[in-house]
Amino acid sequence: MDKNIGEQLNKAYEAYRQACMDRDHAVKELQQKTENYMQQIREQQEKIELQNSIIAKLKSQLAALNANRGNVHPYVLMHEDIETSNLPFSQLSEKLNVIKQREELLK
């Protein structure tokens, strides 16, 4: 009978140990997914900020065009300026810097 109890205890301990390992793995996987999602959220927020910046700049250019009708050299949107939503943040940031430089040259 003692041998049977010992085997049952060993099986119970092994099941407990496996459950703990499974739990630890699940916790690590959840942490990794959370970190990945947080990074994606940060990147999307940066893209939104850049898009908002471009929109604000375009609105101000439109307002200047409407106010000065004919006295202002219009800024011609380049195709690459319009389709920026698929670019990574670093490239979007570079494009914003180029746009700012163009704006300075037009002034």
Side-chain angles (χ1 to χ4, degrees):
M1 188 79 159
D2 289 333
K3 184 177 180 183
N4 192 15
I5 292 175
E7 287 178 16
Q8 288 178 346
L9 284 174
N10 283 337
K11 285 181 183 180
Y13 175 75
E14 185 58 34
Y16 171 76
R17 189 177 76 79
Q18 186 62 45
C20 289
M21 288 174 34
D22 291 346
R23 179 203 61 207
D24 292 345
H25 177 72
V27 167
K28 286 180 186 177
E29 187 176 345
L30 179 62
Q31 287 173 339
Q32 183 63 42
K33 285 183 179 183
T34 300
E35 289 172 11
N36 289 341
Y37 290 139
M38 294 303 290
Q39 179 63 28
Q40 289 176 0
I41 289 170
R42 282 190 295 273
E43 289 172 1
Q44 292 297 320
Q45 286 173 334
E46 290 170 348
K47 284 182 181 181
I48 289 169
E49 289 173 13
L50 180 61
Q51 296 276 330
N52 285 338
S53 152
I54 292 170
I55 289 169
K57 183 178 92 45
L58 292 173
K59 282 181 179 180
S60 69
Q61 289 175 352
L62 181 60
L65 285 173
N66 287 336
N68 297 323
R69 297 255 177 196
N71 294 337
V72 176
H73 181 279
Y75 174 77
V76 178
L77 281 178
M78 304 299 285
H79 181 70
E80 66 266 9
D81 292 338
I82 295 170
E83 294 187 7
T84 58
S85 61
N86 295 331
L87 297 176
F89 176 72
S90 60
Q91 289 178 344
L92 289 172
S93 180
E94 289 174 20
K95 285 203 172 288
L96 180 60
N97 289 334
V98 169
I99 290 171
K100 286 179 183 178
Q101 290 173 353
R102 284 185 198 162
E103 187 177 83
E104 289 298 318
L105 290 174
L106 290 175
K107 290 180 182 179

